[in-house]
Amino acid sequence: MEPYRTLRLRIYGNGPGKVTDICGMAETAQSLRIIVTGGAGFIGSHTVVALVEAGYEPVIVDDLRNSKASVLDGLERILGRRVEFHAVDCGNAAAMAPVFERPVHGVIHFAADKAVGESVAHPEQYFANNIGATAQLTDMLRERGIAHLVFSSSCTVYGEASALPVDENTPVKPAASPYGFTKQACESLLRYSHAAADGQLGVALLRYFNPIGAHPSAEIGELPLGTPANLVPFLTQSVAGIRGELTVHGDDYPTPDGTCIRDYLHVVDLAEAHVAALQWLERHPGSLDVFNLGTGEGSSVKQVLQAFEEATGRPVPHRMGPRRAGDVTAIYADATKAADVLGWSTKRSLQQCLADAWRWQEKLGG
Ligand code: NAD
Ligand code: WQD
C-alpha cells in the first residue's frame, strides 16, 4: 500500500480549538499531536491510521497489557513511517510527563479493559483501570489546558433497550456488568469534568455498537489474547482451525431466526468517526455531546454466519447452544445524529467487514 504522503497545514488561531485547515500542502506542514491511549489496541490502531490520513500526528500511549508491540510494525508498513509510541500507563501522571513535553492538540482515550466476563471476576481491576485511569488522565488534560477529548463508550450503556433502534435519548439502564458500569461512570465523570472546566474542555462521548473487521491491508486487526469471547474473532479462529466449532449462543430468542441481533460496523468506519468527532470539537470548542456509532442495521448471528460464508466461500463449523448469560436480545443504533452533526456514517458492508476479518486471520495463520 502506498504510504500516506499528503499532509494538511493547520494554523493555530486564537487559542486551542481555533484551527484553520489548508489541504494539500507539502510536508513542511505543522501537524497536530493527538494522544491515542490504547493506540496499539484493536480500534486505537485503526484510528492511528485514520488520524495520519487526515493530517494529524498520532502519539500512541499503550502499556501493551492487551496488545503487542508488533502492531507498531503493522502500522509502519501501512504508513511508511514509525508512529511516536510511549509504553506507559495513561493513568500514571509521572510516566505520562514526557508525552506532554511537546504541545498536545487533543486526546482520544481508548485505553481500558474490555472483557465483560473478566470484569465480573475482577471488578476492582475494572474500576481501577477504566475509571481510575480516565480520572487521572482527564486531570492531566485540564492541568495543561488541552481542549479536546474523545472518549470510547459503548452501546452496553443501553442494556436491553425498550425500543429499537436506540438513539442517544434512549435511557441508560442500570449496568449489567462491572465493565458496563465503568463506561457509564466515565461518561458521568467526563460530564462533571466538562462542567468544571467551564468551556475549556470539549468532550465527545462515542457509543460504539459492535466493531468488527480489520484494515484491508491485513497489516493490523483484532488480536484477542486467549480464547475470544466475541463472535467474529471466535468465528475466524474456528474457520482457521484454531478453535473447535462455534457455538451459537441461543436460537430461541424472539427474533425472526431466533438468534440475537447486533449492529456490526467496520473498524475502519469506526476509526474514521474519531477523526470526525475531533474535527467537530475543533469547530465547537468546549462542547460536550454523545453519539451512537453504528450502521443503523441489525444482523442476527445466523445472518453473520451466512454473510461470512458468502464473503469468503468458507463454511463456518457451528452448532446451536444455550443462551449466554447477560446477552440482550437485540440492539442496533439510530445513528442519524452522527450523520447530521459529525457528517459521519458507515460506508462498508457486513460482507466487507467479514472478508477483511478473514484476510487478517489468514495472515495471522492457524
Ligand atoms: P483493546 O483491548 O484492543 O485496546 C485497548 C488498549 O488499551 C490495549 O492495547 C491495552 O493494552 C491498552 N490499555 C489498557 N489499559 C491501559 C492503560 N491504563 N494505559 C495504557 N494502555 C492501556 O480494545 P478495543 O477493542 O480496541 O477497545 C478500545 C476501547 O473501546 C475500550 O475503551 C473499549 O471498552 C471500547 N469499546 C470496545 C468495543 C469492542 O467491541 N471492541 C465496543 C465498545 C467500546
Ligand atoms: C455478539 C453476538 C452472542 C460468541 C460485546 C460487549 C459489549 C461491547 C461489544 C464493549 C451475541 C453471539 C458470540 C460466540 C455467539 N463491547 N455469540 N457465539 O455481546 O454484543 O457485545 O462486545 O463495549 O459491551 O458485551 O458481542 O461479539 O460477544 O456477541 O453466538 O461464540 O454473538 O451471543 O448475540 P456483544 P459479542
Side-chain angles (χ1 to χ4, degrees):
M1 174 168 295
E2 179 71 7
Y4 183 81
R5 292 195 196 287
T6 312
L7 289 179
R8 243 177 204 187
L9 180 63
R10 289 162 180 274
I11 302 170
Y12 285 99
N14 300 324
K18 300 274 195 292
V19 170
T20 310
D21 289 357
I22 302 174
C23 297
M25 303 295 289
E27 297 199 1
T28 51
Q30 177 186 8
S31 292
L32 300 175
R33 289 172 83 239
I34 307 293
I35 294 177
V36 185
T37 74
F42 174 43
I43 309 169
S45 58
H46 291 81
T47 302
V48 165
V49 175
L51 284 167
V52 173
E53 286 173 347
Y56 293 95
E57 185 59 47
V59 177
I60 298 176
V61 171
D62 197 310
D63 62 8
L64 304 177
R65 72 182 70 192
N66 196 40
S67 50
K68 294 185 179 161
S70 59
V71 171
L72 302 167
D73 303 329
L75 285 170
E76 185 173 359
R77 287 191 290 273
I78 294 171
L79 300 172
R81 66 172 177 83
R82 208 75 181 164
V83 173
E84 184 180 339
F85 169 58
H86 300 261
V88 298
D89 178 344
C90 66
N92 181 331
M96 285 290 287
V99 181
F100 292 108
E101 273 170 10
R102 288 195 291 133
V104 172
H105 178 63
V107 175
I108 306 182
H109 181 38
F110 292 103
D113 295 319
K114 65 162 181 179
V116 173
E118 183 186 56
S119 81
V120 175
H122 300 287
E124 305 82 2
Q125 174 192 327
Y126 276 69
F127 275 54
N129 192 32
N130 293 12
I131 304 174
T134 300
Q136 300 285 354
L137 180 70
T138 307
D139 199 38
M140 294 174 219
L141 306 198
R142 289 193 51 207
E143 251 177 32
R144 293 168 174 85
I146 295 167
H148 309 307
L149 174 60
V150 179
F151 176 70
S152 300
S153 189
S154 168
C155 69
T156 197
V157 301
Y158 296 117
E160 183 88 62
S162 43
L164 292 171
V166 294
D167 67 18
E168 292 80 357
N169 296 317
T170 301
V172 165
K173 289 271 175 70
S177 70
Y179 169 75
F181 180 86
T182 67
K183 290 297 170 190
Q184 297 180 350
C186 285
E187 286 197 8
S188 296
L189 164 68
L190 294 176
R191 287 180 191 278
Y192 283 121
S193 296
H194 171 259
D198 201 19
Q200 301 304 302
L201 178 68
V203 179
L205 304 170
L206 305 184
R207 293 177 179 162
Y208 315 153
F209 282 66
N210 288 57
I212 59 169
H215 193 268
S217 65
E219 294 291 358
I220 53 173
E222 194 165 2
L223 262 183
L225 306 178
T227 306
N230 294 117
L231 177 63
V232 171
F234 194 99
L235 185 163
T236 54
Q237 290 193 7
S238 175
V239 174
I242 300 167
R243 308 281 161 207
E245 61 187 357
L246 174 96
T247 301
V248 175
H249 296 318
D251 63 351
D252 59 348
Y253 284 94
T255 61
D257 66 18
T259 63
C260 291
I261 291 174
R262 299 288 184 272
D263 186 337
Y264 299 94
L265 75 160
H266 199 295
V267 66
V268 175
D269 279 326
L270 180 58
E272 289 169 359
H274 292 76
V275 174
L278 193 57
Q279 292 173 342
W280 171 77
L281 287 170
E282 289 168 356
R283 291 193 304 275
H284 301 89
S287 300
L288 178 145
D289 215 338
V290 54
F291 300 97
N292 282 346
L293 300 179
T295 65
E297 281 180 30
S299 304
S300 72
V301 177
K302 281 185 181 168
Q303 285 174 320
V304 172
L305 268 53
Q306 190 186 340
F308 181 87
E309 296 189 0
E310 287 166 5
T312 66
R314 303 261 175 170
V316 181
H318 66 278
R319 65 178 180 86
M320 297 302 156
R323 292 184 180 195
R324 183 174 70 175
D327 271 339
V328 299
T329 302
I331 187 161
Y332 53 96
D334 177 338
T336 47
K337 184 174 171 186
D340 292 347
V341 178
L342 303 180
W344 172 90
S345 56
T346 59
K347 301 189 198 94
R348 294 156 179 91
S349 68
L350 179 60
Q351 291 207 354
Q352 195 171 345
C353 292
L354 295 164
D356 288 339
W358 176 241
R359 192 175 308 112
W360 166 242
Q361 182 63 59
E362 279 189 303
K363 173 112 184 249
L364 288 176

